[in-house]
């Protein structure tokens, strides 16, 4: 019998926070909001690999605009659960974002250090506008102020996995977002 990801990975160690249906509905709303704000433009949706990949693709499909996709990757050395702030670019965009409307897509904004690094990097490339969309915003964890234009949900200091987000590379393919239970 073919098993879905949610059946393969039991919920023994993951408590569901947002179901696949809740995510789909919220992402649909966000996609329409972005389309209203950027009406008539051809924005570039940039995702930060790897955690934002599912969100970026679903958000793009929920946005009835002519959207271009691009990707970047950063490395951040921390203790595995928190960012050290030592962020380094390891894969740059292919698109020239000069004069373009950019929507930076994140799965979760935590300390804000990754986003702050990327915003600084992007601003000097002179985009027409730069917006941030994140599925989850861990507001109480912020170490540096960053502008979040679109947030699916604000959450507390919880270690979230699923829908692109991982714990040591596991759980990214869960169709829902859950909280990893401590053993
Ligand atoms: C996560 C997430 C963000 C970053 C946010 O990435 O996808 O990019 O952390 O944390 P911050 O606000 O504290 O900087 P992670 O480093 O886990 O890599 P991944 O996306 O490859 O899972």
């Amino acid at each position: 019998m073919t098993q879905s990801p949610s059946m393969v990975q039991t919920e023994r160690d993951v408590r569901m926070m947002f179901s696949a249906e809740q995510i789909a509905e919220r992402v649909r709303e966000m996609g329409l909001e972005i389309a209203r704000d950027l009406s008539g433009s051809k924005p570039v949706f940039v995702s930060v690999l790897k955690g934002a990949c599912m969100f970026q693709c679903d958000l793009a499909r929920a946005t009835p605009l002519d959207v271009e996709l691009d990707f970047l990757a950063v490395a951040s050395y921390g203790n595995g659960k928190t960012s050290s702030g030592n962020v380094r670019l390891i894969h740059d965009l292919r698109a020239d974002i000069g004069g373009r409307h950019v929507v930076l897509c994140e799965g979760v904004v935590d300390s804000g250090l990754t986003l702050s690094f990327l915003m600084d990097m992007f601003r000097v490339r002179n985009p027409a506008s730069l917006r941030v969309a994140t599925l989850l915003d861990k507001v109480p964890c912020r170490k540096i102020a960053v502008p979040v234009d679109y947030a699916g949900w604000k959450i507390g200091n919880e270690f979230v996995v699923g829908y692109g987000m991982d714990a040591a590379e596991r759980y990214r393919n869960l169709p829902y977002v859950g909280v990893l239970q401590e053993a």
Side-chain angles (χ1 to χ4, degrees):
M1 177 179 137
T2 305
Q3 296 188 329
S4 70
S6 58
M7 292 170 70
V8 173
Q9 291 164 324
T10 69
E11 293 172 25
R12 180 168 45 86
D13 50 1
V14 179
R15 173 173 55 83
M16 189 187 293
M17 186 180 235
F18 300 112
S19 69
E21 292 73 22
Q22 288 175 298
I23 295 168
E25 174 58 19
R26 187 69 188 105
V27 172
R28 192 186 66 81
E29 291 171 354
M30 295 172 78
L32 294 176
E33 191 181 350
I34 291 170
R36 278 195 298 274
D37 292 349
L38 292 175
S39 175
S41 74
K42 188 179 173 186
V44 187
F45 281 18
V46 172
S47 78
V48 187
L49 297 173
K50 305 175 190 173
C53 60
M54 311 277 183
F55 175 58
Q56 177 206 30
C57 293
D58 284 348
L59 190 65
R61 284 182 286 193
T63 304
L65 295 177
D66 193 359
V67 170
E68 183 177 335
L69 300 180
D70 209 341
F71 309 87
L72 56 78
V74 294
S76 167
Y77 301 100
N79 62 13
K81 288 197 173 181
T82 57
S83 171
S84 64
N86 185 8
V87 184
R88 187 167 59 91
L89 184 71
I90 55 175
H91 178 77
D92 204 345
L93 300 176
R94 292 175 66 178
D96 176 1
I97 59 168
R100 304 288 304 275
H101 294 283
V102 176
V103 178
L104 186 50
C105 306
E106 264 288 21
V108 58
V109 179
D110 192 311
S111 67
L113 294 168
T114 304
L115 192 53
S116 176
F117 170 86
L118 293 173
M119 300 283 288
D120 287 348
M121 189 181 90
F122 279 20
R123 280 192 190 107
V124 298
R125 300 182 184 188
N126 299 313
S129 69
L130 181 53
R131 290 173 164 79
V132 174
T134 186
L135 183 73
L136 302 173
D137 189 355
K138 290 171 74 168
V139 178
C141 301
R142 210 67 101 240
K143 290 181 180 165
I144 187 166
V146 283
V148 173
D149 301 282
Y150 311 98
W153 290 281
K154 293 178 179 174
I155 63 171
N157 184 14
E158 292 167 292
F159 194 81
V160 284
V161 296
Y163 195 64
M165 293 169 281
D166 76 311
E169 297 303 326
R170 283 189 69 199
Y171 308 109
R172 288 197 199 273
N173 64 323
L174 289 179
Y176 54 86
V177 169
V179 179
L180 194 61
Q181 307 293 287
E182 296 294 342

